[in-house]
Amino acid sequence: MNIKVSDIIKAALDLADLTNSSMPTADENKFWINTAFSRVYQKAINMGEKYYFTKKSYPEDGSEISNEYDLPENFYQLYDIRYGESSQVIRRYQKWMTNNDTWYDIRGDKLVLSKTMGVDIYYFDNPITMDISVADTSLDFPNHIFYQLCVIYLAEYYKIKQGADVTALEMMKDEAWNTYYDVLARDVNQPLIIQDAYRHVNFFNGTGGING
């Protein structure tokens, strides 16, 4: 689902109940919305969200098979590495391992393998960085609750700037994360892209605004 950044900011401002005198600057909005997205992104993928999951095969077309490959430019966090027709998972290097074992390691921007072979690397992309100065910039969310969490985090930053109490927002955030966890747990054996099944969290009206 794609949501305009301007709508995300409007929803967060409404949730934070900001007055005109305390409106954030453009630079503050840019920093806070990127921070909010990054925090939700990190926690969501750690919980098992695989919407931003990517696969890359080595060697690439036209390249020779090797025991060392460049990591993808958009590499952020590893999920796992597999090889062979059975897609066997490779373990990360441990000090007790030798080159007779099958292992991988990440050293700088290189993927190092214990032996020459082709592999598939499954990983998560870098979190999106938004330039809110571009008109109608949109964000692609895996589901509605991910969007809701970004709005809550952003509203929390606004409230903190005001020196206002954020207890209610903390409770909303906890409820949303608990719901997210429950749905991911139910969908653990489902396809990688989690379906948009979270609209029962009822403090949003589903269109970018807040239920008043």
Side-chain angles (χ1 to χ4, degrees):
M1 58 181 294
N2 286 285
I3 307 289
K4 291 181 181 180
V5 171
S6 57
D7 291 335
I8 300 168
I9 292 172
K10 182 180 184 302
L13 290 172
D14 289 345
L15 185 58
D17 194 25
L18 283 188
T19 62
N20 289 333
S21 61
S22 56
M23 292 289 285
T25 66
D27 285 343
E28 286 173 332
N29 268 332
K30 181 177 180 180
F31 175 76
W32 286 335
I33 197 169
N34 282 304
T35 300
F37 183 86
S38 294
R39 289 184 66 185
V40 177
Y41 181 93
Q42 182 66 68
K43 187 167 182 175
I45 65 175
N46 287 348
M47 288 170 57
E49 177 59 79
K50 296 183 177 70
Y51 184 80
Y52 302 101
F53 195 81
T54 300
K55 172 187 174 183
K56 186 177 180 68
S57 298
Y58 294 100
E60 299 180 84
D61 292 342
S63 300
E64 293 184 0
I65 194 168
S66 176
N67 69 335
E68 185 176 296
Y69 300 103
D70 292 330
L71 288 172
E73 290 184 3
N74 62 339
F75 178 85
Y76 176 69
Q77 182 170 308
L78 183 68
Y79 182 76
D80 66 23
I81 297 175
R82 299 170 183 258
Y83 78 102
E85 293 182 0
S86 61
S87 293
Q88 183 173 342
V89 176
I90 303 175
R91 298 181 65 183
R92 186 158 191 171
Y93 173 76
Q94 303 292 326
K95 290 183 178 179
W96 53 264
M97 291 179 169
T98 71
N99 286 344
N100 292 323
D101 299 304
T102 301
W103 52 260
Y104 78 89
D105 204 5
I106 294 176
R107 299 172 183 172
D109 60 354
K110 301 289 185 181
L111 171 65
V112 179
L113 305 167
S114 59
K115 58 192 72 176
T116 298
M117 59 181 166
V119 294
D120 294 324
I121 175 173
Y122 297 84
Y123 66 98
F124 296 97
D125 292 340
N126 283 315
I128 301 164
T129 300
M130 288 147 281
D131 181 0
I132 64 172
S133 65
V134 178
D136 294 332
T137 298
S138 295
L139 267 178
D140 182 24
F141 294 98
N143 48 61
H144 197 71
I145 200 167
F146 193 112
Y147 155 70
Q148 292 172 341
L149 281 160
C150 285
V151 171
I152 295 169
Y153 275 86
L154 187 56
E156 192 171 46
Y157 298 146
Y158 294 156
K159 296 285 276 188
I160 290 171
K161 181 191 175 185
Q162 288 181 300
D165 182 72
V166 295
T167 301
L169 290 176
E170 287 289 335
M171 293 176 63
M172 284 184 181
K173 188 165 63 177
D174 288 345
E175 179 186 351
W177 278 123
N178 288 338
T179 302
Y180 209 154
Y181 178 84
D182 290 344
V183 175
L184 288 175
R186 288 199 302 270
D187 290 348
V188 67
N189 294 317
Q190 299 303 312
L192 291 179
I193 297 179
I194 305 302
Q195 301 302 311
D196 187 11
Y198 313 105
R199 294 181 183 273
H200 60 285
V201 180
N202 61 11
F203 43 83
F204 285 78
N205 63 23
T207 60
I210 311 297
N211 287 333

